[in-house]
Coordinates of all heavy atoms in Angstrom, one line a residue:
I21 N -36.5 303.3 84.9 CA -35.5 302.2 85.3 C -35.4 302.0 86.8 O -34.3 301.7 87.3 CB -34.1 302.3 84.7 CG1 -33.5 303.8 85.1 CG2 -34.1 302.4 83.2 CD1 -32.1 304.0 84.7
A22 N -36.4 302.3 87.6 CA -36.5 302.1 88.9 C -35.9 300.8 89.4 O -35.3 300.7 90.4 CB -37.9 302.4 89.6
V23 N -36.4 299.7 88.8 CA -36.0 298.4 89.2 C -34.6 298.2 89.0 O -33.9 297.6 89.8 CB -36.8 297.3 88.5 CG1 -36.3 295.9 88.9 CG2 -38.3 297.3 88.7
L24 N -34.0 298.6 87.9 CA -32.5 298.5 87.7 C -31.8 299.3 88.8 O -30.8 298.8 89.2 CB -32.3 298.9 86.3 CG -30.8 299.0 85.9 CD1 -30.2 297.7 85.9 CD2 -30.6 299.6 84.5
I25 N -32.2 300.5 89.1 CA -31.5 301.2 90.1 C -31.6 300.6 91.4 O -30.6 300.4 92.1 CB -32.1 302.7 90.2 CG1 -31.9 303.4 88.8 CG2 -31.6 303.4 91.4 CD1 -32.6 304.7 88.8
G26 N -32.8 299.9 91.8 CA -33.0 299.3 93.0 C -32.0 298.0 93.0 O -31.4 297.7 94.1
L27 N -31.8 297.2 92.0 CA -30.9 296.1 91.9 C -29.6 296.6 92.2 O -28.8 295.9 92.8 CB -31.2 295.4 90.6 CG -32.4 294.6 90.4 CD1 -32.5 294.2 88.9 CD2 -32.6 293.4 91.4
L28 N -29.1 297.8 91.5 CA -27.7 298.2 91.6 C -27.4 298.7 93.0 O -26.4 298.3 93.7 CB -27.5 299.3 90.7 CG -27.4 298.8 89.0 CD1 -27.4 300.1 88.2 CD2 -26.3 297.9 88.8
V29 N -28.4 299.4 93.6 CA -28.1 300.0 95.0 C -28.0 298.8 95.9 O -27.2 298.8 96.8 CB -29.2 300.9 95.4 CG1 -29.1 301.4 96.9 CG2 -29.0 302.2 94.4
G30 N -29.0 297.9 95.8 CA -29.0 296.9 96.7 C -27.9 295.8 96.6 O -27.3 295.4 97.8
T31 N -27.3 295.6 95.5 CA -26.1 294.9 95.3 C -24.9 295.6 95.8 O -24.1 294.9 96.6 CB -25.9 294.5 93.8 OG1 -27.1 293.9 93.2 CG2 -24.6 293.7 93.6
I32 N -24.7 296.8 95.7 CA -23.6 297.6 96.1 C -23.6 297.6 97.6 O -22.6 297.4 98.4 CB -23.6 299.1 95.6 CG1 -23.4 299.1 94.1 CG2 -22.6 299.9 96.4 CD1 -23.7 300.4 93.5
V33 N -24.8 297.8 98.3 CA -24.9 297.7 99.8 C -24.6 296.4 100.3 O -23.9 296.1 101.3 CB -26.3 298.3 100.2 CG1 -26.4 298.0 101.7 CG2 -26.5 299.8 99.9
A34 N -25.0 295.4 99.6 CA -24.8 294.0 100.0 C -23.4 293.6 99.9 O -22.9 292.8 100.6 CB -25.7 293.0 99.1
A35 N -22.6 294.2 98.8 CA -21.2 294.0 98.6 C -20.4 294.5 100.0 O -19.5 293.8 100.5 CB -20.7 294.7 97.4
F36 N -20.8 295.7 100.5 CA -20.2 296.2 101.7 C -20.4 295.3 102.8 O -19.7 295.4 103.8 CB -20.7 297.7 101.8 CG -20.0 298.7 101.0 CD1 -20.7 299.2 100.0 CD2 -18.7 299.0 101.2 CE1 -20.0 300.2 99.1 CE2 -18.0 299.9 100.3 CZ -18.7 300.5 99.3
M37 N -21.5 294.6 102.8 CA -21.9 293.7 103.9 C -21.4 292.4 103.7 O -21.6 291.5 104.5 CB -23.3 293.6 104.1 CG -24.1 294.9 104.4 SD -25.8 294.9 104.2 CE -26.3 293.9 105.5
G38 N -20.5 292.1 102.7 CA -19.9 290.8 102.5 C -20.9 289.8 101.9 O -20.6 288.6 102.0
M39 N -21.9 290.2 101.3 CA -22.8 289.2 100.7 C -22.7 289.0 99.2 O -23.5 288.3 98.7 CB -24.3 289.8 100.9 CG -24.7 289.9 102.5 SD -26.2 290.8 102.8 CE -27.3 289.6 102.0
V40 N -21.6 289.5 98.6 CA -21.5 289.4 97.1 C -20.2 288.6 96.9 O -19.0 289.0 97.4 CB -21.4 290.8 96.4 CG1 -21.1 290.7 94.9 CG2 -22.7 291.4 96.6
S41 N -20.2 287.6 96.2 CA -19.0 286.8 95.8 C -18.8 286.9 94.3 O -19.7 286.8 93.4 CB -19.3 285.3 96.1 OG -18.2 284.6 95.6
L42 N -17.5 287.2 94.0 CA -17.0 287.3 92.6 C -16.6 286.0 92.0 O -16.1 285.9 90.9 CB -16.0 288.3 92.5 CG -16.4 289.8 92.8 CD1 -15.3 290.7 92.5 CD2 -17.5 290.3 91.7
Q43 N -16.6 284.9 92.9 CA -16.1 283.6 92.4 C -16.7 283.1 91.2 O -16.0 282.5 90.2 CB -16.4 282.6 93.5 CG -15.7 281.3 93.3 CD -15.8 280.3 94.4 OE1 -16.3 280.6 95.5 NE2 -15.4 279.0 94.3
P44 N -18.1 283.2 90.9 CA -18.7 282.7 89.6 C -18.0 283.4 88.5 O -17.9 282.8 87.4 CB -20.2 283.1 89.8 CG -20.4 283.1 91.3 CD -19.1 283.8 91.8
V45 N -17.6 284.7 88.6 CA -17.0 285.4 87.5 C -15.7 284.9 87.3 O -15.3 284.6 86.1 CB -16.9 286.9 87.8 CG1 -16.2 287.7 86.7 CG2 -18.4 287.5 87.9
A46 N -14.8 284.6 88.3 CA -13.5 284.1 88.1 C -13.4 282.7 87.5 O -12.5 282.4 86.7 CB -12.9 284.1 89.6
E47 N -14.4 281.9 87.7 CA -14.4 280.5 87.4 C -15.0 280.3 85.9 O -14.8 279.2 85.3 CB -15.3 279.6 88.4 CG -14.6 279.6 89.7 CD -15.4 278.7 90.6 OE1 -16.6 278.4 90.3 OE2 -15.0 278.3 91.8
A48 N -15.7 281.3 85.5 CA -16.3 281.2 84.1 C -15.4 281.2 83.1 O -14.4 281.9 83.1 CB -17.5 282.2 84.1
S49 N -15.6 280.6 81.9 CA -14.8 280.7 80.8 C -15.1 282.0 80.0 O -16.1 282.6 80.1 CB -15.0 279.4 79.9 OG -16.4 279.4 79.5
W50 N -14.2 282.3 79.2 CA -14.4 283.6 78.3 C -15.2 283.5 77.1 O -16.0 284.3 76.8 CB -13.0 284.1 77.8 CG -12.2 284.9 78.9 CD1 -11.1 284.3 79.6 CD2 -12.5 286.1 79.4 NE1 -10.7 285.2 80.5 CE2 -11.5 286.4 80.5 CE3 -13.4 287.1 79.1 CZ2 -11.6 287.6 81.1 CZ3 -13.4 288.2 79.8 CH2 -12.5 288.6 80.8
L51 N -15.2 282.2 76.5 CA -15.9 282.1 75.2 C -16.5 280.8 75.1 O -15.9 279.7 75.5 CB -15.0 282.3 74.0 CG -15.7 282.5 72.6 CD1 -16.6 283.8 72.5 CD2 -14.5 282.5 71.5
H52 N -17.8 280.7 74.6 CA -18.4 279.3 74.5 C -19.4 279.4 73.2 O -20.2 280.4 73.1 CB -19.3 279.1 75.8 CG -19.3 277.5 76.1 ND1 -19.0 277.1 77.3 CD2 -19.7 276.6 75.3 CE1 -19.1 275.8 77.2 NE2 -19.6 275.5 76.1
F53 N -19.4 278.3 72.5 CA -20.4 278.2 71.2 C -21.4 277.1 71.4 O -21.1 276.0 72.0 CB -19.5 278.2 70.0 CG -18.8 279.4 69.7 CD1 -17.4 279.4 69.9 CD2 -19.4 280.4 69.1 CE1 -16.7 280.4 69.5 CE2 -18.7 281.6 68.8 CZ -17.3 281.6 69.0
P54 N -22.6 277.4 71.1 CA -23.6 276.3 71.1 C -23.3 275.2 70.2 O -22.8 275.3 69.0 CB -25.0 277.0 70.7 CG -24.4 278.2 69.9 CD -23.1 278.6 70.4
Q55 N -23.5 274.0 70.6 CA -23.2 272.8 69.9 C -24.5 271.9 69.8 O -25.0 271.4 70.9 CB -22.0 271.9 70.5 CG -20.8 272.7 70.6 CD -19.6 271.9 71.2 OE1 -19.6 270.7 71.1 NE2 -18.8 272.6 71.9
P56 N -25.0 271.5 68.7 CA -26.2 270.6 68.6 C -25.8 269.3 69.3 O -24.7 268.8 69.0 CB -26.4 270.5 67.1 CG -25.8 271.6 66.6 CD -24.6 272.0 67.3
F57 N -26.8 268.7 70.1 CA -26.6 267.4 70.6 C -25.3 267.3 71.4 O -24.6 266.2 71.3 CB -26.9 266.3 69.6 CG -28.1 266.5 68.8 CD1 -27.9 266.7 67.4 CD2 -29.3 266.4 69.2 CE1 -29.2 266.8 66.5 CE2 -30.4 266.7 68.5 CZ -30.4 266.8 67.1
Y58 N -25.0 268.3 72.2 CA -23.8 268.3 73.0 C -23.6 267.1 73.9 O -22.7 266.6 74.2 CB -23.8 269.6 73.9 CG -22.6 269.8 74.8 CD1 -21.3 270.2 74.3 CD2 -22.6 269.4 76.1 CE1 -20.3 270.4 75.0 CE2 -21.5 269.5 76.8 CZ -20.3 270.0 76.4 OH -19.3 270.2 77.3
F59 N -24.8 266.6 74.4 CA -24.9 265.4 75.3 C -25.2 264.1 74.6 O -25.6 263.1 75.3 CB -25.8 265.7 76.5 CG -25.4 266.8 77.4 CD1 -26.2 268.0 77.5 CD2 -24.4 266.8 78.3 CE1 -25.8 269.1 78.2 CE2 -24.1 267.7 79.0 CZ -24.7 268.9 79.1
G60 N -25.1 264.1 73.3 CA -25.5 263.0 72.5 C -26.8 263.0 71.8 O -27.6 264.0 72.0
A61 N -27.1 261.9 71.0 CA -28.2 262.0 70.1 C -29.6 261.8 71.0 O -29.5 261.2 72.0 CB -28.2 260.9 69.1
P62 N -30.7 262.4 70.4 CA -31.9 262.2 71.4 C -32.5 261.0 71.3 O -32.4 260.2 70.2 CB -32.8 263.3 70.7 CG -32.3 263.5 69.3 CD -30.7 263.3 69.3
H63 N -33.3 260.5 72.2 CA -33.9 259.3 72.2 C -35.5 259.5 72.6 O -35.8 260.4 73.4 CB -33.4 258.2 73.3 CG -34.1 256.9 73.4 ND1 -34.1 256.0 72.4 CD2 -35.0 256.5 74.4 CE1 -34.9 255.1 72.6 NE2 -35.3 255.3 73.9
F64 N -36.3 258.9 71.8 CA -37.8 259.2 71.9 C -38.5 258.1 72.7 O -38.5 256.9 72.1 CB -38.3 259.4 70.5 CG -37.6 260.5 69.9 CD1 -36.7 260.4 68.9 CD2 -38.1 261.8 70.1 CE1 -36.0 261.5 68.3 CE2 -37.5 263.0 69.6 CZ -36.5 262.8 68.6
E65 N -39.0 258.4 73.8 CA -39.6 257.3 74.6 C -41.0 257.9 75.0 O -41.3 259.0 75.4 CB -39.0 257.1 75.9 CG -39.4 255.9 76.6 CD -40.5 256.2 77.6 OE1 -40.4 257.4 78.1 OE2 -41.4 255.4 77.9
W66 N -42.2 257.1 74.7 CA -43.5 257.6 74.7 C -44.0 258.2 76.0 O -44.6 259.2 76.0 CB -44.5 256.6 74.3 CG -44.7 255.5 75.3 CD1 -44.1 254.3 75.5 CD2 -45.8 255.4 76.3 NE1 -44.5 253.6 76.5 CE2 -45.5 254.3 77.1 CE3 -46.7 256.4 76.6 CZ2 -46.6 254.0 78.2 CZ3 -47.6 256.1 77.7 CH2 -47.4 254.9 78.5

């Protein structure tokens, strides 16, 4: 798991350097379900 350890260590060090933002976590919703054709019915153009 060398790559995983590298990502964790790099992120922790970057956090101390002010390079990590938790805003995406705060803004995300808690629960979401997939919905077919969420943006409307498909249209087929050649």
Side-chain angles (χ1 to χ4, degrees):
I21 57 170
V23 173
L24 177 59
I25 293 173
L27 290 171
L28 292 175
V29 172
T31 301
I32 292 170
V33 172
F36 282 107
M37 298 170 66
M39 298 174 65
V40 175
S41 172
L42 296 178
Q43 185 176 357
V45 180
E47 293 179 350
S49 58
W50 280 106
L51 193 63
H52 212 127
F53 291 101
Q55 301 176 36
F57 307 119
Y58 180 84
F59 295 110
H63 176 69
F64 300 95
E65 190 275 326
W66 73 268

